[in-house]
Amino acid sequence: MNSGGVRSSNIELFRILSMLMIVAHHYVVNSGLIDCIDTQASLHFQDYFLLLFGWGGKTGINCFVLITGYFMCTSNITKEKFCKLLGELYFYKVVIWCLFFFSGYQSFSIGDFLEMLFPFFTVADNFTACFLLFYLLIPFLNKLIHSLTEKEHFWLMTWCIGVYVVLPSFAKAHVVFNYVTWFSILYVIASYIRLYPKECFNSTKITGFLAGVSLLLSWMSIIVLAAFSRMIGKHVGLCYFFVSDSNKILALTTGISGFLFFKNLKIGYSRRINTIAAATFGVLCIHANSDTMRRWLWRDICNNVDAYNDGVIVVHAIAVTLVVFGLCTAIEVFRTKLKEYSKLTRRV
């Protein structure tokens, strides 16, 4: 995957696509569009489009953590790397909170202020903070997986998938679930792929077929369940059942098969792709920064609901998602370059 010490761009391209999936998901679920769709007596083309457009947020999370597990299971985290991620999170938390507060858009709230200062209050649905908490577990996870035999590793992975994926997806089992635990399970899966390569893991044709089938099943489940929800008068959000959280069966299989497919692609090194991919964590820190950011971005600035009512939602969704991703990427690249320049000038 590396050539001359430079990381190839196949996985980095996958990282970019995963973040685009997450931004598209937030475009739909954080803007009031699901409520608009829910008011329709019957679903139309734009409704099905939106439900499919916003399908991949939880799958995208799986993709990100699988990438981390694949690379980090044979590496060690460093204090510098962790501090860099933590600093990036805090930079955007503090700067964006200040912008909203001093512009008058957001009034002072003890809850919002404490969340800005200490963004680790929940391990249930806060991806960025939970990712950092999980990151601290990596040295311990590495000790565990390297002490296991291949057979033990396989059965640990199988047990985790059975309890945390199969039961909640098909048996309606209530499993105590949080992101830190789930990321650790994904780490076990990704490390198995890295440490015990199989012929089927390395076939572009096989993994591409599996990725295509899994993606098609995900979309079909959404369409079928959306139509069914209208028939029985239930909330249209039911359509996301098999991809509604990261541990649902199709969210996992699509993430794994997609990762395996891109792992096997041979596209060489692209500086542009790698630069954009390096900014994806910053994209997440910016556009999913807080509830205030979600309201400002999707409801006030982009005004997704009005675009839906005006019948231009398809073009609007694609254009806005690309623009938001592009602007956040540009901000993060600029911040990184400014930080590098600042370090360089201090040395001089």
Side-chain angles (χ1 to χ4, degrees), residues 116-138:
M116 181 264 292
L117 292 180
F118 191 76
F120 302 99
F121 281 120
T122 175
V123 293
D125 54 8
N126 185 343
F127 171 78
T128 49
C130 288
F131 183 80
L132 290 174
L133 293 175
F134 152 75
Y135 207 77
L136 293 174
L137 277 178
I138 288 178

mmCIF file with all atom_site columns, all heavy atoms in Angstrom, residues 116-138:
data_model
loop_
_atom_site.group_PDB
_atom_site.id
_atom_site.type_symbol
_atom_site.label_atom_id
_atom_site.label_alt_id
_atom_site.label_comp_id
_atom_site.label_asym_id
_atom_site.label_entity_id
_atom_site.label_seq_id
_atom_site.pdbx_PDB_ins_code
_atom_site.Cartn_x
_atom_site.Cartn_y
_atom_site.Cartn_z
_atom_site.occupancy
_atom_site.B_iso_or_equiv
_atom_site.pdbx_formal_charge
_atom_site.auth_seq_id
_atom_site.auth_comp_id
_atom_site.auth_asym_id
_atom_site.auth_atom_id
_atom_site.pdbx_PDB_model_num
ATOM 1   N N   . MET A 1 116 ? -18.459 22.473 25.024 1.00 0.00 ? 116 MET A N   1
ATOM 2   C CA  . MET A 1 116 ? -17.320 23.006 24.285 1.00 0.00 ? 116 MET A CA  1
ATOM 3   C C   . MET A 1 116 ? -16.020 22.747 25.028 1.00 0.00 ? 116 MET A C   1
ATOM 4   O O   . MET A 1 116 ? -15.011 22.353 24.438 1.00 0.00 ? 116 MET A O   1
ATOM 5   C CB  . MET A 1 116 ? -17.529 24.504 24.048 1.00 0.00 ? 116 MET A CB  1
ATOM 6   C CG  . MET A 1 116 ? -16.418 25.176 23.259 1.00 0.00 ? 116 MET A CG  1
ATOM 7   S SD  . MET A 1 116 ? -15.193 25.970 24.346 1.00 0.00 ? 116 MET A SD  1
ATOM 8   C CE  . MET A 1 116 ? -16.164 27.312 25.038 1.00 0.00 ? 116 MET A CE  1
ATOM 9   N N   . LEU A 1 117 ? -16.018 22.936 26.337 1.00 0.00 ? 117 LEU A N   1
ATOM 10  C CA  . LEU A 1 117 ? -14.807 22.737 27.136 1.00 0.00 ? 117 LEU A CA  1
ATOM 11  C C   . LEU A 1 117 ? -14.479 21.261 27.341 1.00 0.00 ? 117 LEU A C   1
ATOM 12  O O   . LEU A 1 117 ? -13.311 20.885 27.401 1.00 0.00 ? 117 LEU A O   1
ATOM 13  C CB  . LEU A 1 117 ? -14.960 23.420 28.495 1.00 0.00 ? 117 LEU A CB  1
ATOM 14  C CG  . LEU A 1 117 ? -15.002 24.944 28.517 1.00 0.00 ? 117 LEU A CG  1
ATOM 15  C CD1 . LEU A 1 117 ? -15.159 25.443 29.950 1.00 0.00 ? 117 LEU A CD1 1
ATOM 16  C CD2 . LEU A 1 117 ? -13.734 25.536 27.886 1.00 0.00 ? 117 LEU A CD2 1
ATOM 17  N N   . PHE A 1 118 ? -15.510 20.443 27.457 1.00 0.00 ? 118 PHE A N   1
ATOM 18  C CA  . PHE A 1 118 ? -15.296 19.027 27.737 1.00 0.00 ? 118 PHE A CA  1
ATOM 19  C C   . PHE A 1 118 ? -16.240 18.195 26.868 1.00 0.00 ? 118 PHE A C   1
ATOM 20  O O   . PHE A 1 118 ? -17.311 17.793 27.313 1.00 0.00 ? 118 PHE A O   1
ATOM 21  C CB  . PHE A 1 118 ? -15.538 18.725 29.222 1.00 0.00 ? 118 PHE A CB  1
ATOM 22  C CG  . PHE A 1 118 ? -15.082 17.345 29.625 1.00 0.00 ? 118 PHE A CG  1
ATOM 23  C CD1 . PHE A 1 118 ? -13.727 17.065 29.809 1.00 0.00 ? 118 PHE A CD1 1
ATOM 24  C CD2 . PHE A 1 118 ? -16.001 16.334 29.812 1.00 0.00 ? 118 PHE A CD2 1
ATOM 25  C CE1 . PHE A 1 118 ? -13.310 15.796 30.178 1.00 0.00 ? 118 PHE A CE1 1
ATOM 26  C CE2 . PHE A 1 118 ? -15.597 15.054 30.180 1.00 0.00 ? 118 PHE A CE2 1
ATOM 27  C CZ  . PHE A 1 118 ? -14.246 14.791 30.368 1.00 0.00 ? 118 PHE A CZ  1
ATOM 28  N N   . PRO A 1 119 ? -15.841 17.956 25.619 1.00 0.00 ? 119 PRO A N   1
ATOM 29  C CA  . PRO A 1 119 ? -16.749 17.291 24.663 1.00 0.00 ? 119 PRO A CA  1
ATOM 30  C C   . PRO A 1 119 ? -16.774 15.767 24.796 1.00 0.00 ? 119 PRO A C   1
ATOM 31  O O   . PRO A 1 119 ? -16.846 15.049 23.805 1.00 0.00 ? 119 PRO A O   1
ATOM 32  C CB  . PRO A 1 119 ? -16.155 17.715 23.320 1.00 0.00 ? 119 PRO A CB  1
ATOM 33  C CG  . PRO A 1 119 ? -14.697 17.840 23.582 1.00 0.00 ? 119 PRO A CG  1
ATOM 34  C CD  . PRO A 1 119 ? -14.580 18.369 25.003 1.00 0.00 ? 119 PRO A CD  1
ATOM 35  N N   . PHE A 1 120 ? -16.683 15.260 26.026 1.00 0.00 ? 120 PHE A N   1
ATOM 36  C CA  . PHE A 1 120 ? -16.644 13.815 26.229 1.00 0.00 ? 120 PHE A CA  1
ATOM 37  C C   . PHE A 1 120 ? -17.772 13.341 27.150 1.00 0.00 ? 120 PHE A C   1
ATOM 38  O O   . PHE A 1 120 ? -17.658 12.330 27.821 1.00 0.00 ? 120 PHE A O   1
ATOM 39  C CB  . PHE A 1 120 ? -15.293 13.393 26.832 1.00 0.00 ? 120 PHE A CB  1
ATOM 40  C CG  . PHE A 1 120 ? -14.109 13.774 25.992 1.00 0.00 ? 120 PHE A CG  1
ATOM 41  C CD1 . PHE A 1 120 ? -13.369 14.910 26.282 1.00 0.00 ? 120 PHE A CD1 1
ATOM 42  C CD2 . PHE A 1 120 ? -13.743 12.998 24.908 1.00 0.00 ? 120 PHE A CD2 1
ATOM 43  C CE1 . PHE A 1 120 ? -12.276 15.262 25.502 1.00 0.00 ? 120 PHE A CE1 1
ATOM 44  C CE2 . PHE A 1 120 ? -12.657 13.343 24.120 1.00 0.00 ? 120 PHE A CE2 1
ATOM 45  C CZ  . PHE A 1 120 ? -11.916 14.477 24.415 1.00 0.00 ? 120 PHE A CZ  1
ATOM 46  N N   . PHE A 1 121 ? -18.871 14.110 27.194 1.00 0.00 ? 121 PHE A N   1
ATOM 47  C CA  . PHE A 1 121 ? -19.946 13.765 28.118 1.00 0.00 ? 121 PHE A CA  1
ATOM 48  C C   . PHE A 1 121 ? -20.680 12.497 27.715 1.00 0.00 ? 121 PHE A C   1
ATOM 49  O O   . PHE A 1 121 ? -21.267 11.825 28.547 1.00 0.00 ? 121 PHE A O   1
ATOM 50  C CB  . PHE A 1 121 ? -20.944 14.929 28.230 1.00 0.00 ? 121 PHE A CB  1
ATOM 51  C CG  . PHE A 1 121 ? -20.464 16.027 29.127 1.00 0.00 ? 121 PHE A CG  1
ATOM 52  C CD1 . PHE A 1 121 ? -20.290 17.313 28.642 1.00 0.00 ? 121 PHE A CD1 1
ATOM 53  C CD2 . PHE A 1 121 ? -20.183 15.781 30.456 1.00 0.00 ? 121 PHE A CD2 1
ATOM 54  C CE1 . PHE A 1 121 ? -19.852 18.334 29.468 1.00 0.00 ? 121 PHE A CE1 1
ATOM 55  C CE2 . PHE A 1 121 ? -19.737 16.799 31.299 1.00 0.00 ? 121 PHE A CE2 1
ATOM 56  C CZ  . PHE A 1 121 ? -19.570 18.071 30.805 1.00 0.00 ? 121 PHE A CZ  1
ATOM 57  N N   . THR A 1 122 ? -20.712 12.193 26.420 1.00 0.00 ? 122 THR A N   1
ATOM 58  C CA  . THR A 1 122 ? -21.446 11.023 25.965 1.00 0.00 ? 122 THR A CA  1
ATOM 59  C C   . THR A 1 122 ? -20.564 10.141 25.095 1.00 0.00 ? 122 THR A C   1
ATOM 60  O O   . THR A 1 122 ? -19.757 10.640 24.303 1.00 0.00 ? 122 THR A O   1
ATOM 61  C CB  . THR A 1 122 ? -22.704 11.419 25.170 1.00 0.00 ? 122 THR A CB  1
ATOM 62  O OG1 . THR A 1 122 ? -23.312 10.229 24.642 1.00 0.00 ? 122 THR A OG1 1
ATOM 63  C CG2 . THR A 1 122 ? -22.365 12.351 24.020 1.00 0.00 ? 122 THR A CG2 1
ATOM 64  N N   . VAL A 1 123 ? -20.714 8.826  25.275 1.00 0.00 ? 123 VAL A N   1
ATOM 65  C CA  . VAL A 1 123 ? -20.021 7.874  24.405 1.00 0.00 ? 123 VAL A CA  1
ATOM 66  C C   . VAL A 1 123 ? -21.039 7.138  23.542 1.00 0.00 ? 123 VAL A C   1
ATOM 67  O O   . VAL A 1 123 ? -20.738 6.109  22.955 1.00 0.00 ? 123 VAL A O   1
ATOM 68  C CB  . VAL A 1 123 ? -19.193 6.857  25.224 1.00 0.00 ? 123 VAL A CB  1
ATOM 69  C CG1 . VAL A 1 123 ? -18.060 7.527  25.929 1.00 0.00 ? 123 VAL A CG1 1
ATOM 70  C CG2 . VAL A 1 123 ? -20.083 6.092  26.210 1.00 0.00 ? 123 VAL A CG2 1
ATOM 71  N N   . ALA A 1 124 ? -22.249 7.681  23.472 1.00 0.00 ? 124 ALA A N   1
ATOM 72  C CA  . ALA A 1 124 ? -23.303 7.017  22.714 1.00 0.00 ? 124 ALA A CA  1
ATOM 73  C C   . ALA A 1 124 ? -23.350 7.483  21.259 1.00 0.00 ? 124 ALA A C   1
ATOM 74  O O   . ALA A 1 124 ? -23.501 6.672  20.350 1.00 0.00 ? 124 ALA A O   1
ATOM 75  C CB  . ALA A 1 124 ? -24.662 7.261  23.379 1.00 0.00 ? 124 ALA A CB  1
ATOM 76  N N   . ASP A 1 125 ? -23.210 8.795  21.013 1.00 0.00 ? 125 ASP A N   1
ATOM 77  C CA  . ASP A 1 125 ? -23.430 9.284  19.654 1.00 0.00 ? 125 ASP A CA  1
ATOM 78  C C   . ASP A 1 125 ? -22.499 10.421 19.239 1.00 0.00 ? 125 ASP A C   1
ATOM 79  O O   . ASP A 1 125 ? -22.714 11.056 18.215 1.00 0.00 ? 125 ASP A O   1
ATOM 80  C CB  . ASP A 1 125 ? -24.883 9.744  19.497 1.00 0.00 ? 125 ASP A CB  1
ATOM 81  C CG  . ASP A 1 125 ? -25.285 10.760 20.559 1.00 0.00 ? 125 ASP A CG  1
ATOM 82  O OD1 . ASP A 1 125 ? -24.401 11.216 21.304 1.00 0.00 ? 125 ASP A OD1 1
ATOM 83  O OD2 . ASP A 1 125 ? -26.479 11.077 20.634 1.00 0.00 ? 125 ASP A OD2 1
ATOM 84  N N   . ASN A 1 126 ? -21.477 10.697 20.026 1.00 0.00 ? 126 ASN A N   1
ATOM 85  C CA  . ASN A 1 126 ? -20.544 11.777 19.712 1.00 0.00 ? 126 ASN A CA  1
ATOM 86  C C   . ASN A 1 126 ? -19.304 11.170 19.060 1.00 0.00 ? 126 ASN A C   1
ATOM 87  O O   . ASN A 1 126 ? -18.370 10.747 19.742 1.00 0.00 ? 126 ASN A O   1
ATOM 88  C CB  . ASN A 1 126 ? -20.182 12.533 20.996 1.00 0.00 ? 126 ASN A CB  1
ATOM 89  C CG  . ASN A 1 126 ? -19.315 13.748 20.727 1.00 0.00 ? 126 ASN A CG  1
ATOM 90  O OD1 . ASN A 1 126 ? -18.716 13.873 19.661 1.00 0.00 ? 126 ASN A OD1 1
ATOM 91  N ND2 . ASN A 1 126 ? -19.249 14.645 21.689 1.00 0.00 ? 126 ASN A ND2 1
ATOM 92  N N   . PHE A 1 127 ? -19.289 11.134 17.729 1.00 0.00 ? 127 PHE A N   1
ATOM 93  C CA  . PHE A 1 127 ? -18.253 10.386 17.027 1.00 0.00 ? 127 PHE A CA  1
ATOM 94  C C   . PHE A 1 127 ? -16.860 10.932 17.301 1.00 0.00 ? 127 PHE A C   1
ATOM 95  O O   . PHE A 1 127 ? -15.943 10.173 17.619 1.00 0.00 ? 127 PHE A O   1
ATOM 96  C CB  . PHE A 1 127 ? -18.512 10.388 15.518 1.00 0.00 ? 127 PHE A CB  1
ATOM 97  C CG  . PHE A 1 127 ? -17.359 9.820  14.729 1.00 0.00 ? 127 PHE A CG  1
ATOM 98  C CD1 . PHE A 1 127 ? -17.168 8.455  14.658 1.00 0.00 ? 127 PHE A CD1 1
ATOM 99  C CD2 . PHE A 1 127 ? -16.452 10.651 14.086 1.00 0.00 ? 127 PHE A CD2 1
ATOM 100 C CE1 . PHE A 1 127 ? -16.100 7.919  13.948 1.00 0.00 ? 127 PHE A CE1 1
ATOM 101 C CE2 . PHE A 1 127 ? -15.385 10.127 13.383 1.00 0.00 ? 127 PHE A CE2 1
ATOM 102 C CZ  . PHE A 1 127 ? -15.204 8.757  13.315 1.00 0.00 ? 127 PHE A CZ  1
ATOM 103 N N   . THR A 1 128 ? -16.664 12.242 17.164 1.00 0.00 ? 128 THR A N   1
ATOM 104 C CA  . THR A 1 128 ? -15.313 12.788 17.251 1.00 0.00 ? 128 THR A CA  1
ATOM 105 C C   . THR A 1 128 ? -14.703 12.578 18.635 1.00 0.00 ? 128 THR A C   1
ATOM 106 O O   . THR A 1 128 ? -13.555 12.151 18.765 1.00 0.00 ? 128 THR A O   1
ATOM 107 C CB  . THR A 1 128 ? -15.315 14.295 16.910 1.00 0.00 ? 128 THR A CB  1
ATOM 108 O OG1 . THR A 1 128 ? -16.344 14.951 17.662 1.00 0.00 ? 128 THR A OG1 1
ATOM 109 C CG2 . THR A 1 128 ? -15.586 14.506 15.432 1.00 0.00 ? 128 THR A CG2 1
ATOM 110 N N   . ALA A 1 129 ? -15.481 12.867 19.678 1.00 0.00 ? 129 ALA A N   1
ATOM 111 C CA  . ALA A 1 129 ? -14.966 12.671 21.036 1.00 0.00 ? 129 ALA A CA  1
ATOM 112 C C   . ALA A 1 129 ? -14.747 11.190 21.329 1.00 0.00 ? 129 ALA A C   1
ATOM 113 O O   . ALA A 1 129 ? -13.729 10.809 21.934 1.00 0.00 ? 129 ALA A O   1
ATOM 114 C CB  . ALA A 1 129 ? -15.933 13.280 22.048 1.00 0.00 ? 129 ALA A CB  1
ATOM 115 N N   . CYS A 1 130 ? -15.683 10.356 20.910 1.00 0.00 ? 130 CYS A N   1
ATOM 116 C CA  . CYS A 1 130 ? -15.551 8.914  21.154 1.00 0.00 ? 130 CYS A CA  1
ATOM 117 C C   . CYS A 1 130 ? -14.367 8.330  20.396 1.00 0.00 ? 130 CYS A C   1
ATOM 118 O O   . CYS A 1 130 ? -13.709 7.403  20.875 1.00 0.00 ? 130 CYS A O   1
ATOM 119 C CB  . CYS A 1 130 ? -16.831 8.194  20.748 1.00 0.00 ? 130 CYS A CB  1
ATOM 120 S SG  . CYS A 1 130 ? -18.204 8.504  21.867 1.00 0.00 ? 130 CYS A SG  1
ATOM 121 N N   . PHE A 1 131 ? -14.093 8.862  19.217 1.00 0.00 ? 131 PHE A N   1
ATOM 122 C CA  . PHE A 1 131 ? -12.952 8.379  18.445 1.00 0.00 ? 131 PHE A CA  1
ATOM 123 C C   . PHE A 1 131 ? -11.655 8.631  19.200 1.00 0.00 ? 131 PHE A C   1
ATOM 124 O O   . PHE A 1 131 ? -10.760 7.777  19.214 1.00 0.00 ? 131 PHE A O   1
ATOM 125 C CB  . PHE A 1 131 ? -12.909 9.049  17.079 1.00 0.00 ? 131 PHE A CB  1
ATOM 126 C CG  . PHE A 1 131 ? -11.803 8.552  16.199 1.00 0.00 ? 131 PHE A CG  1
ATOM 127 C CD1 . PHE A 1 131 ? -11.927 7.361  15.503 1.00 0.00 ? 131 PHE A CD1 1
ATOM 128 C CD2 . PHE A 1 131 ? -10.615 9.268  16.069 1.00 0.00 ? 131 PHE A CD2 1
ATOM 129 C CE1 . PHE A 1 131 ? -10.916 6.886  14.700 1.00 0.00 ? 131 PHE A CE1 1
ATOM 130 C CE2 . PHE A 1 131 ? -9.587  8.806  15.271 1.00 0.00 ? 131 PHE A CE2 1
ATOM 131 C CZ  . PHE A 1 131 ? -9.730  7.608  14.574 1.00 0.00 ? 131 PHE A CZ  1
ATOM 132 N N   . LEU A 1 132 ? -11.563 9.779  19.850 1.00 0.00 ? 132 LEU A N   1
ATOM 133 C CA  . LEU A 1 132 ? -10.356 10.078 20.613 1.00 0.00 ? 132 LEU A CA  1
ATOM 134 C C   . LEU A 1 132 ? -10.240 9.189  21.851 1.00 0.00 ? 132 LEU A C   1
ATOM 135 O O   . LEU A 1 132 ? -9.145  8.741  22.202 1.00 0.00 ? 132 LEU A O   1
ATOM 136 C CB  . LEU A 1 132 ? -10.346 11.549 21.016 1.00 0.00 ? 132 LEU A CB  1
ATOM 137 C CG  . LEU A 1 132 ? -10.136 12.530 19.853 1.00 0.00 ? 132 LEU A CG  1
ATOM 138 C CD1 . LEU A 1 132 ? -10.281 13.959 20.331 1.00 0.00 ? 132 LEU A CD1 1
ATOM 139 C CD2 . LEU A 1 132 ? -8.781  12.336 19.209 1.00 0.00 ? 132 LEU A CD2 1
ATOM 140 N N   . LEU A 1 133 ? -11.362 8.928  22.515 1.00 0.00 ? 133 LEU A N   1
ATOM 141 C CA  . LEU A 1 133 ? -11.330 8.007  23.652 1.00 0.00 ? 133 LEU A CA  1
ATOM 142 C C   . LEU A 1 133 ? -10.936 6.607  23.199 1.00 0.00 ? 133 LEU A C   1
ATOM 143 O O   . LEU A 1 133 ? -10.152 5.922  23.867 1.00 0.00 ? 133 LEU A O   1
ATOM 144 C CB  . LEU A 1 133 ? -12.705 7.977  24.333 1.00 0.00 ? 133 LEU A CB  1
ATOM 145 C CG  . LEU A 1 133 ? -13.146 9.271  25.030 1.00 0.00 ? 133 LEU A CG  1
ATOM 146 C CD1 . LEU A 1 133 ? -14.569 9.132  25.534 1.00 0.00 ? 133 LEU A CD1 1
ATOM 147 C CD2 . LEU A 1 133 ? -12.195 9.619  26.169 1.00 0.00 ? 133 LEU A CD2 1
ATOM 148 N N   . PHE A 1 134 ? -11.479 6.184  22.086 1.00 0.00 ? 134 PHE A N   1
ATOM 149 C CA  . PHE A 1 134 ? -11.116 4.882  21.512 1.00 0.00 ? 134 PHE A CA  1
ATOM 150 C C   . PHE A 1 134 ? -9.637  4.852  21.131 1.00 0.00 ? 134 PHE A C   1
ATOM 151 O O   . PHE A 1 134 ? -8.951  3.835  21.310 1.00 0.00 ? 134 PHE A O   1
ATOM 152 C CB  . PHE A 1 134 ? -11.997 4.614  20.288 1.00 0.00 ? 134 PHE A CB  1
ATOM 153 C CG  . PHE A 1 134 ? -11.372 3.736  19.250 1.00 0.00 ? 134 PHE A CG  1
ATOM 154 C CD1 . PHE A 1 134 ? -11.261 2.361  19.446 1.00 0.00 ? 134 PHE A CD1 1
ATOM 155 C CD2 . PHE A 1 134 ? -10.897 4.267  18.055 1.00 0.00 ? 134 PHE A CD2 1
ATOM 156 C CE1 . PHE A 1 134 ? -10.678 1.550  18.482 1.00 0.00 ? 134 PHE A CE1 1
ATOM 157 C CE2 . PHE A 1 134 ? -10.320 3.463  17.093 1.00 0.00 ? 134 PHE A CE2 1
ATOM 158 C CZ  . PHE A 1 134 ? -10.208 2.101  17.307 1.00 0.00 ? 134 PHE A CZ  1
ATOM 159 N N   . TYR A 1 135 ? -9.131  5.959  20.623 1.00 0.00 ? 135 TYR A N   1
ATOM 160 C CA  . TYR A 1 135 ? -7.737  6.034  20.187 1.00 0.00 ? 135 TYR A CA  1
ATOM 161 C C   . TYR A 1 135 ? -6.785  5.693  21.332 1.00 0.00 ? 135 TYR A C   1
ATOM 162 O O   . TYR A 1 135 ? -5.744  5.061  21.133 1.00 0.00 ? 135 TYR A O   1
ATOM 163 C CB  . TYR A 1 135 ? -7.453  7.441  19.657 1.00 0.00 ? 135 TYR A CB  1
ATOM 164 C CG  . TYR A 1 135 ? -6.354  7.501  18.626 1.00 0.00 ? 135 TYR A CG  1
ATOM 165 C CD1 . TYR A 1 135 ? -6.590  7.114  17.316 1.00 0.00 ? 135 TYR A CD1 1
ATOM 166 C CD2 . TYR A 1 135 ? -5.076  7.958  18.960 1.00 0.00 ? 135 TYR A CD2 1
ATOM 167 C CE1 . TYR A 1 135 ? -5.587  7.182  16.361 1.00 0.00 ? 135 TYR A CE1 1
ATOM 168 C CE2 . TYR A 1 135 ? -4.077  8.031  18.022 1.00 0.00 ? 135 TYR A CE2 1
ATOM 169 C CZ  . TYR A 1 135 ? -4.334  7.637  16.715 1.00 0.00 ? 135 TYR A CZ  1
ATOM 170 O OH  . TYR A 1 135 ? -3.339  7.685  15.785 1.00 0.00 ? 135 TYR A OH  1
ATOM 171 N N   . LEU A 1 136 ? -7.179  6.083  22.551 1.00 0.00 ? 136 LEU A N   1
ATOM 172 C CA  . LEU A 1 136 ? -6.342  5.783  23.718 1.00 0.00 ? 136 LEU A CA  1
ATOM 173 C C   . LEU A 1 136 ? -6.350  4.295  24.062 1.00 0.00 ? 136 LEU A C   1
ATOM 174 O O   . LEU A 1 136 ? -5.470  3.825  24.798 1.00 0.00 ? 136 LEU A O   1
ATOM 175 C CB  . LEU A 1 136 ? -6.833  6.587  24.924 1.00 0.00 ? 136 LEU A CB  1
ATOM 176 C CG  . LEU A 1 136 ? -6.652  8.105  24.840 1.00 0.00 ? 136 LEU A CG  1
ATOM 177 C CD1 . LEU A 1 136 ? -7.307  8.780  26.029 1.00 0.00 ? 136 LEU A CD1 1
ATOM 178 C CD2 . LEU A 1 136 ? -5.167  8.471  24.760 1.00 0.00 ? 136 LEU A CD2 1
ATOM 179 N N   . LEU A 1 137 ? -7.323  3.565  23.551 1.00 0.00 ? 137 LEU A N   1
ATOM 180 C CA  . LEU A 1 137 ? -7.397  2.125  23.804 1.00 0.00 ? 137 LEU A CA  1
ATOM 181 C C   . LEU A 1 137 ? -6.508  1.310  22.868 1.00 0.00 ? 137 LEU A C   1
ATOM 182 O O   . LEU A 1 137 ? -6.264  0.128  23.119 1.00 0.00 ? 137 LEU A O   1
ATOM 183 C CB  . LEU A 1 137 ? -8.845  1.637  23.640 1.00 0.00 ? 137 LEU A CB  1
ATOM 184 C CG  . LEU A 1 137 ? -9.795  1.800  24.818 1.00 0.00 ? 137 LEU A CG  1
ATOM 185 C CD1 . LEU A 1 137 ? -11.194 1.309  24.429 1.00 0.00 ? 137 LEU A CD1 1
ATOM 186 C CD2 . LEU A 1 137 ? -9.296  1.022  26.027 1.00 0.00 ? 137 LEU A CD2 1
ATOM 187 N N   . ILE A 1 138 ? -6.042  1.917  21.795 1.00 0.00 ? 138 ILE A N   1
ATOM 188 C CA  . ILE A 1 138 ? -5.331  1.167  20.765 1.00 0.00 ? 138 ILE A CA  1
ATOM 189 C C   . ILE A 1 138 ? -4.117  0.402  21.305 1.00 0.00 ? 138 ILE A C   1
ATOM 190 O O   . ILE A 1 138 ? -3.925  -0.774 20.953 1.00 0.00 ? 138 ILE A O   1
ATOM 191 C CB  . ILE A 1 138 ? -4.935  2.109  19.601 1.00 0.00 ? 138 ILE A CB  1
ATOM 192 C CG1 . ILE A 1 138 ? -6.193  2.490  18.813 1.00 0.00 ? 138 ILE A CG1 1
ATOM 193 C CG2 . ILE A 1 138 ? -3.909  1.449  18.679 1.00 0.00 ? 138 ILE A CG2 1
ATOM 194 C CD1 . ILE A 1 138 ? -5.959  3.445  17.664 1.00 0.00 ? 138 ILE A CD1 1
#
